[in-house]
Amino acid sequence: MLKARALKQERELKDFVTRFRNKAEGTRRAIIWMMAEGSSVNMESLQESFKKFAAYGDTKATGNEMTGKNWAKLCKDCKITDGKAVTSTDVDIVFSKVKAKTARVIIFAEFKNALAELAPKRFKGKSKEEAIEAAYKLIAGKDPTNVGVTKVTKAGAVDRLTDASKYTGSHKERFDQDGKGKGKTGREDIAENTGYVGAYRGAGTYSEKAKEK
């Protein structure tokens, strides 16, 4: 029984290796075809974009390995995913298919294999070589978008908290009519020898009232 299981595992491994070699060979032929046909795709530019997306969101990343999350972002940002021919599910399945069995990331060579899987679906009606070239063109030279990143703004509650005209009580006394702070004058109760009770609003009007009488 153990021997039969071992033989089965050996066959499965051989099948896997054969499939992987076939995929790699297909990608290699596509690249050779693009080179022979004078493809306008700059492979260095493609790899540079791979590195930028691979390092996105991780300041410690080298850019040599790409996570499934960043692979999905690349496909979305670069329009490989169109929601019809290629969906987010397709993207996830291909990532699992091309990565090493126990790995959680893909390298540049596996990245190209993944594109070779998706390109014919994304560009139906084109040959595999033409489809791969079209996919490369969507990615080469592109940078990750920052849609959804929180920006620092001054609005709403922040405006209310910094508007001195809306302050009340002792806080209001610390600012003048223009909203400028009074400094020490606004922080301390300075005694005034006027003979009036503190904060009396009629201070200085007695003499005027006496004249009227």
Side-chain angles (χ1 to χ4, degrees), residues 41-203:
V41 178
N42 186 320
M43 296 305 291
E44 289 184 3
S45 179
L46 179 69
Q47 187 165 10
E48 187 62 29
S49 291
F50 168 85
K51 288 183 176 181
K52 288 178 180 179
F53 277 96
Y56 180 79
D58 185 356
T59 56
K60 296 180 181 179
T62 62
N64 294 324
E65 297 175 330
M66 181 179 286
T67 63
K69 180 179 179 181
N70 286 22
W71 158 248
K73 177 175 176 57
L74 179 147
C75 289
K76 181 179 179 181
D77 288 0
C78 298
K79 311 299 182 185
I80 297 296
T81 307
D82 64 354
K84 297 178 181 179
V86 177
T87 65
S88 57
T89 301
D90 294 322
V91 168
D92 292 339
I93 290 173
V94 166
F95 182 84
S96 298
K97 188 183 275 189
V98 301
K99 72 179 182 64
K101 190 173 183 180
T102 58
R104 295 184 178 180
V105 295
I106 57 174
I107 59 176
F108 185 60
E110 292 166 334
F111 164 75
K112 290 188 289 184
N113 288 339
L115 289 177
E117 289 275 343
L118 291 177
K121 294 188 67 175
R122 177 65 174 81
F123 298 99
K124 292 179 179 178
K126 292 180 179 288
S127 68
K128 184 172 184 178
E129 292 79 7
E130 291 172 334
I132 291 174
E133 181 179 15
Y136 285 0
K137 285 181 178 179
L138 289 178
I139 300 167
K142 300 295 193 304
D143 295 332
T145 59
N146 292 315
V147 176
V149 175
T150 303
K151 296 181 179 179
V152 178
T153 58
K154 180 183 175 183
V158 178
D159 277 341
R160 290 194 295 274
L161 290 172
T162 56
D163 187 352
S165 67
K166 292 183 172 59
Y167 292 168
T168 59
S170 61
H171 298 296
K172 183 177 181 179
E173 299 302 321
R174 295 181 62 183
F175 298 86
D176 61 20
Q177 293 181 346
D178 297 325
K180 184 178 180 180
K182 295 180 180 179
K184 184 178 180 180
T185 305
R187 296 196 305 272
E188 296 182 357
D189 292 328
I190 299 175
E192 297 181 0
N193 298 317
T194 61
Y196 292 96
V197 177
Y200 176 60
R201 294 183 179 181

